[in-house]
């Protein structure tokens, strides 16, 4: 049996920020918008400035007390009056980080933003702005950091003079994802923004979601692929395990995430262990099957303690695919252990098993050993339907795009 795939996420090697998107080794055609404008200060005419702690600003996912974003695809959402929105990004913004932003239910746009600079995302010439129907007010603006390692710092939000920010209340349901590179969209086209975590959370259209996932991380508290801590430790913390997290907050005692200050999760989706299972992850000594199992058995009650009303869904791990004879088989990772964790809590009623086998095939995995965009969409679609059937959550995204730039079509219909 030839092992074709070994999963990794060499997070510590990724330090350069470029905005070139590759597709099958070719540079992908992109339409990033240059949104940078001259600095807007308190004296700039025509503008009104809000600080990052304005109560109308809703931060999605994990952000710290300096208004720096962490983990995968964190977001910012607010309503506004007028026809202008600009944001000043603080110095703790990763240089050139690619953000997605949209007005109302229009398609997402992409722009790379700069530390210490001001970017204008909405102006009177923004397509669609003038088409807003009376029932579509207040106008909403949303921004998502597309990456998992890079982040932004919100320093200020600027609107037209004599207009104001409007608080958009959160949706009543919340999903939390706990994972690694798979959930955070490593090597997907737009990374976290193309990953199944984002696709599920945004796919429902009426739920809040937080993607506490980072490439290479283990569940067991070991140094895996350069991530100094495992999820059983890091999930309790605000920052992730990126190099910038250690620069900004140090290694000793990063701030704890204040679970009580945020709406509790109704559903927690856990996909973790693929890195624990990989003896090449660099952990010294390697994580053993028994350590993984014990960590998982300990972790479930920790999640339950924080979110006592949450349904916790354990995803089985596909790991990769091997060529066997004239076909392929899924390798799987810790298949028995994940199922054993489910069985250990089954009678408590709040832990569920999501069998991922059969959703992905070998050609849904890209050369970086992670799902392709198609693979992510398949996983997300199945998990969403599972949640709908199991917990009765209906789909509320019924038009506006969720997966950006996935419009592939055949215009040579008679080949
Ligand atoms: C704003 O204008 C005042 C008065 O002219 C000046 O003292 C102040 O330095 C200016 N502030 C900024 C941020 O430019
Ligand atoms: C925001 O921060 C400023 C300066 O730190 C402070 O004066 C203000 O009261 C804060 N506003 C809110 C809504 O917390
Ligand atoms: C960035 O840092 C410089 C130098 O410390 C400071 O002057 C500037 O105000 C900072 N800008 C922002 C947006 O935080
Ligand atoms: C991204 O930002 C960098 C730095 O501002 C700039 O040089 C580059 O052209 C931008 N790339 C795209 C695709 O917009
Ligand atoms: C929207 O309306 C404003 C004011 O009437 C106008 O200046 C602007 O060009 C319009 N924008 C678009 C995209 O049509
Ligand atoms: C990884 O998981 C597979 C499938 O459950 C198992 O056979 C294998 O022993 C595990 N590897 C390690 C290093 O624990
Ligand atoms: C998961 O699904 C696969 C494929 O249908 C099946 O072979 C396997 O038995 C299932 N695992 C569990 C624990 O039900």
């Amino acid at each position: 049996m030839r092992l074709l795939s070994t999963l990794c996420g060499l997070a510590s090697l990724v330090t350069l920020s470029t905005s070139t998107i590759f597709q099958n080794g070719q540079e992908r055609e992109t339409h990033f918008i240059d949104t940078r404008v001259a600095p807007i200060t308190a004296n700039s005419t025509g503008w009104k400035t809000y600080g990052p702690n304005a109560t109308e600003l809703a931060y999605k996912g994990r952000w710290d007390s300096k208004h720096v974003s962490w983990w995968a695809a964190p977001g910012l959402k607010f309503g506004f009056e007028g026809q202008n929105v600009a944001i000043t990004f603080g110095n703790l913004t990763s240089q050139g980080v690619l953000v997605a932003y949209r007005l109302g239910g229009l398609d997402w746009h992409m722009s790379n933003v700069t530390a210490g600079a001001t970017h204008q995302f909405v102006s009177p010439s923004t397509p669609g702005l003038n088409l807003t129907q009376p029932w579509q007010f207040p106008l909403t603006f949303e921004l998502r950091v597309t990456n998992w390692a890079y982040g932004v710092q919100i320093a200020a939000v600027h609107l037209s003079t004599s207009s104001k920010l409007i608080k958009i209340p959160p949706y009543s349901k919340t999903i939390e994802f706990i994972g690694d590179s798979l959930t955070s969209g490593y090597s997907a086209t737009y990374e976290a923004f193309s990953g199944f975590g984002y696709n599920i959370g945004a796919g429902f259209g009426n739920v809040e979601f937080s993607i506490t996932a980072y490439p290479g991380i283990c569940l067991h508290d070991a140094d895996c692929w350069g991530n100094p801590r495992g999820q059983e430790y890091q999930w309790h913390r605000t920052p992730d395990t990126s190099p910038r997290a250690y620069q900004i907050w140090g290694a000793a005692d990063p701030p704890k995430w204040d679970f009580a200050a945020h709406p509790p999760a109704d559903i927690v989706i856990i996909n973790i262990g693929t890195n624990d299972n990989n003896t090449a992850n660099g952990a010294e000594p390697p994580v053993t099957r028994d350590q993984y199992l014990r960590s998982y058995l300990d972790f479930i009650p920790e999640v339950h303690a924080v979110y006592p009303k949450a349904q916790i869904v354990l995803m089985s791990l596909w790991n990769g695919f091997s060529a066997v004879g004239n076909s392929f088989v899924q390798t799987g990772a810790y298949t028995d252990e994940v199922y054993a964790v489910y069985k250990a809590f089954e009678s408590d009623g709040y832990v569920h098993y999501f069998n991922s086998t059969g959703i992905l095939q070998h050609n849904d995995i890209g050369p970086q050993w992670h799902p392709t965009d198609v693979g992510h969409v398949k996983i997300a679609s199945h998990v969403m339907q599972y949640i709908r059937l199991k917990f009765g959550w209906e789909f509320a995204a019924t038009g506006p795009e969720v997966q950006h730039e996935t419009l592939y079509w055949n215009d040579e219909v008679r080949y």
Side-chain angles (χ1 to χ4, degrees), residues 248-265:
I248 293 172
W249 286 109
D253 188 24
K256 289 204 167 75
W257 179 244
D258 187 355
F259 288 100
H262 299 85

Side-chain angles (χ1 to χ4, degrees), residues 9 14 24 39 41 54 67 80 124 145 155 162 180-181 234 247 287 316 378-379 396:
V14 184
N24 298 0
T41 67
H67 306 98
F80 68 98
V145 179
S162 81
D180 51 28
S181 55
Q234 202 69 35
Q247 278 161 19
V287 180
S316 71
K378 287 169 73 175
I379 294 283

Side-chain angles (χ1 to χ4, degrees), residues 266-283:
D266 300 288
I267 293 177
V268 179
I269 298 177
I270 306 180
N271 181 312
I272 193 82
T274 308
N275 294 304
D276 303 69
N277 183 259
N278 191 330
T279 49
N281 69 24

Side-chain angles (χ1 to χ4, degrees), residues 7-8 178-183 213-221 224-225 230-232 269-281 287-289 291-293 295-296 299 314-319 332-335 337-338 341:
L7 199 72
C8 68
I178 302 174
D180 51 28
S181 55
L182 299 163
T183 310
Y214 195 85
I217 200 166
C218 282
L219 170 62
H220 186 68
D221 192 17
C224 297
W225 301 115
Q231 280 287 30
E232 60 181 335
I269 298 177
I270 306 180
N271 181 312
I272 193 82
T274 308
N275 294 304
D276 303 69
N277 183 259
N278 191 330
T279 49
N281 69 24
V287 180
T288 65
R289 293 181 75 135
Q291 282 173 325
Y292 172 74
L293 179 61
S295 290
Y296 217 156
F299 190 59
L314 316 184
M315 288 180 76
S316 71
L317 308 171
W318 54 84
N319 196 15
Y334 289 140
T335 313
E337 286 76 6
V338 175
V341 174

